[in-house]
Amino acid sequence: DVQLQASGGGLVQAGGSLRLSCVGSGFSLDAYGIGWFRQAPGNAREGVSYINTKEGYTYYASSVKGRFTITSDYAKNTVYLQMNSLNPEDTAVYYCGAVYLYGGTYYPTWYSRSEYGHWGQGTLVTVSS
C-alpha cells in the first residue's frame, strides 16, 4: 500500500528557509516520481517541483526556481524540498504526491494534479512579512 507522509512545515519570517520531507512507504523511488504541490487558501493546488529519482531529473515551477531545491534519499525512501528565500506568497499547505512510472516508460505532466495517484496529508508553511 503506497503511503506518503509530509512534514517540516512551520512559521518562518520572509527571507527564511524550511526543509520539507516526504517519506514514502510501500513503494520504491525507482518506480514512482514524486511531486510537491501547494495550495493557498482560495487557490487551486499547484505544482511546485518534481523529481524522477531513477533517471535523476527535476522540474520546478517558475515561481520557485532558484529558491527551492528538490532532492531524494533512495535509502530513506524520502524526498526533500529545501525552500530558501521564502516570501509571504509561498504561504500554503504543501503536499507531496506519487505518480507511477510504469517501469520507466511513463513521463507524466508533472505539474498536473490528476497524474498523481497517491498523496500525503499536507504540511502547512506560513511565511510572515
Side-chain angles (χ1 to χ4, degrees), residues 49-84:
S49 187
Y50 172 86
I51 188 166
N52 179 317
T53 298
K54 183 174 184 180
E55 299 191 22
Y57 63 80
T58 60
Y59 293 118
Y60 297 92
S62 57
S63 59
V64 306
K65 208 167 190 177
R67 300 188 297 123
F68 291 10
T69 304
I70 190 169
T71 58
S72 61
D73 185 327
Y74 184 82
K76 295 182 179 179
N77 220 43
T78 299
V79 171
Y80 302 98
L81 186 68
Q82 177 67 43
M83 306 187 296
N84 299 329

Side-chain angles (χ1 to χ4, degrees), residues 28-120:
S28 168
L29 289 177
D30 270 354
Y32 284 78
I34 303 296
W36 281 101
F37 284 68
R38 66 186 181 186
Q39 188 165 16
N43 289 358
R45 192 174 296 191
E46 62 173 357
V48 174
S49 187
Y50 172 86
I51 188 166
N52 179 317
T53 298
K54 183 174 184 180
E55 299 191 22
Y57 63 80
T58 60
Y59 293 118
Y60 297 92
S62 57
S63 59
V64 306
K65 208 167 190 177
R67 300 188 297 123
F68 291 10
T69 304
I70 190 169
T71 58
S72 61
D73 185 327
Y74 184 82
K76 295 182 179 179
N77 220 43
T78 299
V79 171
Y80 302 98
L81 186 68
Q82 177 67 43
M83 306 187 296
N84 299 329
S85 302
L86 285 162
N87 58 62
E89 290 69 38
D90 296 316
T91 295
V93 178
Y94 283 71
Y95 300 87
C96 58
V99 51
Y100 185 55
L101 299 179
Y102 293 90
T105 63
Y106 185 60
Y107 296 89
T109 303
W110 72 269
Y111 50 83
S112 175
R113 180 180 175 181
S114 63
E115 292 276 24
Y116 296 79
H118 309 276
W119 292 94

